[in-house]
Amino acid sequence: MTGILPAEWLKLRSVRSTWYVVGVVALVTAGALLLSWYGAHLWDTLPAERRAHLAVAPPTPLIEPVLEICLGVLGVLTLAGEHGRGTIAATLTAVPRRGTVFAAKTVVTAGVALIVGLAAVVGTSLGGRALVGDRPIAGLTDAATRSTPLLFAYAGSVVVAALLGLAVGAILRSTVGAIVCLVGIVYVVPMVVWHLPDPVGRWASSLVLDALPQQAVGLHNEHSVYGDALPAPVALAVLAAYAVVPLTVAAVLFRRRDVG
Amino acid sequence: MIEIRDLTKRYGGRYAVDGLSFTVTPGAVTGFLGPNGAGKSTTMRLLLGLATPDRGTALIDGHTYAELRRPLHRVGALLDPDVAHRGRTARDHLRCLARTHRIGDRRVAAVLAQVGLASAARRRVGGFSLGMKQRLGIAAALLGDPGVLLLDEPVNGLDPDGVRWIRDLLRSLAAEGRTVLVSSHLMSEMERTADRLVIVGRGRLVADTSVPDLVARFDRGVHVRSGRDDALADLLRTAGGAVTAEPGGLVVTGLPDTAIGDVAAHHAIPLYGVNRRHASLEEAYLALTAGTVDYRSGT
């Protein structure tokens, strides 16, 4: 049943919500580029002695949570959306082997998240560098902005968020519930964890989703709410676990539960 | 061929389907009748593998649905008119299903034309009327040209033209040798469409019968008005009928309409009216399901 992948891909691109998500990602990327341009413009207008003190928030990690939410929502819609609308009955009537359906949805969601995530991350990073040029601005021209592995790690965490959305959506079978969970994991948990006392706080803030890309490539989360207590391989494993653990639970439930 | 054996499904302690057994044969339209909540939709969901039975089996051509290799070519199903995404066009909805079986876009266009939606193919389903959604659902069921059709309440929301169209479609599908199972809670519709009737109530089988047999079981006789009722009554009794006199005519049971006409003609008794009291199937159905209705109106 190799036709299932083209079917799932057509399903995704034939609804407007997918393109809204892509549109929001494009807007956010443009916003990040605008920030880089503004940083460069500011640098040009400042007197020389104040230029050394200019610091701009690094644009890629800044938009990272937004990318994760956008693609996470896409993941939620892929399965929880089908349950909410009842279209899952038609899907499973065409392909009764549920493991195949779940795998196809996982592959298509991951593929789309990788392409969109990579485009946004590379776009903000390379575009920002081109706009800033050789001006030394803290945040915009740090070593981290030139790390190719880090760009892939950022894109990877967007894929993880998309799969997390897919899995939580499959478990809860509710679009709203799954999106609330997703926002909780990406935004609320880091905020709570940030206020925990050390050493628990340091560990916990190293484990939140957006703390992982830097750690996974061996970089430190400097001047950040995120901790950096994990060695690179551990960080990479934790990042993968954010997707794999919920996906496993979701796959088991998806195969077992009655539909409708 | 559909075989339901001892099928049982419980939802939270309540039996939706309770030891149900029946067979649906090819070449006929089988009406699947019962009051709301009788277990018709649950049976269809169990047949399609969307739910797992607690006991018993539901087989299509000897296989469970999950075992079917290319199910859309074996079984076409219409469950809920809302199975299409509101934001997707009718054509894209069918193409999503077609892709899973490598069915081409020409077939998609053909079934859309067959159900009368060719001009609405590129419109979003969200703007469809209930009747158009039903037509789209039927197009999806026909997509793989299947030998077995399961249609849950297909006439819901259809206008009179649509109802007639469905009736003709079902009859022609059965005439082509396909197995057609159509659920409805409307006896009057099934009366004109179905050859066989499987009637359920509270998840149990109430009757498995042909339409003429059910009519015969609830035969209310023939109402006859004639020029000489008394004489005709005697003659009909002699011919083997049971006759009771009513104000305005006779009620005859046990004789076909033609025999009554022949007797009257033979004795030159003018007939003013011969009406079979079609123990309306509606009444037969209501009588059969009387004890099995879960949700009765308060009047």
Side-chain angles (χ1 to χ4, degrees), chain B residues 8-18 54:
Chain B
T8 302
K9 180 70 180 179
R10 248 182 344 209
Y11 286 113
R14 182 185 169 280
Y15 282 93
V17 179
D18 187 2
D54 293 324

Side-chain angles (χ1 to χ4, degrees), chain A residues 5 10 12 23 27 78 118 132 141 146-147 161 166 182 184 193 199-200 224 227 231-232 236 240 244:
Chain A
L5 279 176
L10 173 61
L12 199 62
L27 275 179
T78 303
L118 211 51
V132 174
T141 51
R146 274 188 279 278
S147 163
L166 174 78
L182 194 69
V193 156
V200 175
S224 167
L236 202 59
V244 174

Side-chain angles (χ1 to χ4, degrees), chain A residues 13-242:
Chain A
R13 68 189 167 86
S14 60
V15 292
R16 283 170 294 184
S17 46
T18 305
W19 299 107
Y20 293 158
V21 167
V22 173
V24 172
V25 169
L27 275 179
V28 169
T29 306
L33 289 174
L34 199 63
L35 179 68
S36 295
W37 172 83
Y38 181 67
H41 172 74
L42 208 56
W43 193 86
D44 290 343
T45 55
L46 283 178
E49 67 275 13
R50 290 184 57 194
R51 285 179 175 172
H53 301 288
L54 179 63
V56 178
T60 311
L62 190 68
I63 65 163
E64 186 67 7
V66 184
L67 299 180
E68 284 162 358
I69 292 294
C70 283
L71 276 303
V73 166
L74 196 70
V76 169
L77 291 176
T78 303
L79 230 165
E82 283 221 38
H83 278 289
R85 296 197 169 83
T87 59
I88 191 72
T91 299
L92 292 179
T93 311
V95 186
R97 267 165 297 163
R98 297 188 182 186
T100 309
V101 172
F102 193 82
K105 285 188 181 294
T106 305
V107 168
V108 170
T109 303
V112 170
L114 182 65
I115 290 163
V116 175
L118 211 51
V121 166
V122 170
T124 51
S125 179
L126 291 188
R129 256 153 57 188
L131 287 166
V132 174
D134 54 5
R135 304 173 185 90
I137 304 173
L140 293 182
T141 51
D142 299 346
T145 62
R146 274 188 279 278
S147 163
T148 308
L150 182 59
L151 293 187
F152 278 97
Y154 281 138
S157 73
V158 174
V159 174
V160 165
L163 295 178
L164 181 65
L166 174 78
V168 174
I171 293 165
L172 297 180
R173 302 206 274 194
S174 150
T175 310
V176 175
I179 291 175
V180 167
C181 265
L182 194 69
V183 171
I185 291 167
V186 173
Y187 279 115
V188 182
V189 170
M191 276 199 278
V192 172
V193 156
W194 187 39
H195 293 286
L196 295 177
D198 281 337
V200 175
R202 195 173 92 86
W203 280 100
S205 63
S206 301
L207 289 168
V208 298
L209 184 58
D210 279 322
L212 296 168
Q214 290 87 344
Q215 297 180 84
V217 296
L219 290 170
H220 290 287
N221 286 314
E222 287 172 61
H223 314 298
S224 167
V225 297
Y226 303 125
D228 49 10
L230 304 179
V234 177
L236 202 59
V238 173
L239 185 60
Y242 263 97

